[in-house]
Amino acid sequence: MEVGLGTNFEMGTSSSIRSVPLGAVREAVTNAVVHADYAQRGAPTRLSIFDDRIEIENPGLLPFGLTVPDIRRGISKLRNRVLGRVFKELGLIEQWGSGIGRMTRFCRDAGLPEPQFEEIGFHFRTTIIKRRIGALRVDPVEQRILELLADGAGRTTSEISKMVGRSARATRTRLAALVSRGIIVELGSGPRDPRRTYHLMRQP
């Protein structure tokens, strides 16, 4: 896979990559790898990061008879069955044809436009737009978490769980979902770091 950087990209800034739902990017990259046409030599899968969007492009058009409206409805034809089986066993694919729907929900929940899907030449491109067009979609518990993080201080899982009245396990699940949706960010040395803190995402 090749990674390209658009103009005015600053490595490590919150507005570079994390202003989009990480779950949406993960789904797009997974789809690109699993559905790429590896018979096209010298045509890598590309992840390009720009100020206003992220593009994920893989060699190979949609399988014969499949259209963009089809994949939006959850219809899927797997090109690389071995890769698909491996990704499913790793938990990177939950159900065939569900990735586009999850990607779209991640973007909607983050207040972003729906992802764009295009066939360009002999490649397939997914574009995630960073421009916010609506409000975040959160439930009352998630709203309370965001209010707690609004002061910018950052808080641990245990601190947040006590404040929202949920168990540590339930709180971790909520926090992971908010991180995946690009709404908050976690800072720490790893998932088992007891000092890991969560912060509200600063929007560009």
Side-chain angles (χ1 to χ4, degrees):
M1 176 182 289
E2 291 186 357
V3 177
L5 306 182
T7 58
N8 298 325
F9 175 85
E10 295 182 53
M11 182 65 73
T13 63
S14 63
S15 63
S16 59
I17 299 177
R18 289 182 174 268
S19 57
V20 301
L22 298 185
V25 177
R26 181 179 62 246
E27 293 292 346
V29 171
T30 298
N31 283 344
V33 173
V34 171
H35 294 289
D37 181 2
Y38 293 101
Q40 292 189 31
R41 296 184 179 277
T45 297
R46 290 189 173 92
L47 170 64
S48 301
I49 303 168
F50 301 90
D51 289 342
D52 61 343
R53 69 194 187 281
I54 293 179
E55 295 178 355
I56 301 92
E57 185 174 299
N58 62 270
L61 302 176
L62 292 173
F64 180 75
L66 199 63
T67 66
V68 170
D70 288 337
I71 65 174
R72 285 191 180 276
R73 293 197 299 268
I75 301 173
S76 177
K77 294 182 180 179
L78 188 59
R79 174 176 278 126
N80 303 299
R81 295 188 178 278
V82 174
L83 271 178
R85 186 170 62 251
V86 170
F87 273 55
K88 196 169 192 307
E89 291 176 353
L90 291 173
L92 297 173
I93 295 177
E94 294 183 10
Q95 182 179 351
W96 306 127
S98 64
I100 299 297
R102 283 198 303 276
M103 192 190 315
T104 300
R105 286 195 298 274
F106 278 128
C107 290
R108 284 177 178 171
D109 288 348
L112 303 180
E114 293 188 3
Q116 298 176 357
F117 307 104
E118 306 170 275
E119 292 182 298
I120 302 175
F122 293 99
H123 293 74
F124 184 81
R125 177 184 295 171
T126 298
T127 303
I128 301 174
I129 306 296
K130 292 174 156 185
R131 184 185 70 258
R132 179 150 291 165
I133 60 172
L136 296 174
R137 297 184 181 182
V138 294
D139 63 28
V141 175
E142 293 170 335
Q143 181 62 41
R144 176 58 178 152
I145 292 174
L146 299 184
E147 291 171 356
L148 292 173
L149 300 179
D151 60 5
R155 288 180 170 81
T156 64
T157 300
S158 61
E159 290 173 333
I160 295 172
S161 67
K162 293 176 183 177
M163 294 176 179
V164 300
R166 294 292 192 277
S167 68
R169 182 175 182 179
T171 302
R172 278 194 297 271
T173 299
R174 295 279 188 163
L175 293 170
L178 290 171
V179 169
S180 185
R181 290 160 59 190
I183 300 174
I184 66 174
V185 61
E186 55 185 342
L187 299 178
S189 60
R192 297 184 181 277
D193 182 358
R195 294 176 296 178
R196 179 178 50 173
T197 57
Y198 293 87
H199 303 257
L200 194 64
M201 178 59 64
R202 180 176 62 82
Q203 296 301 322

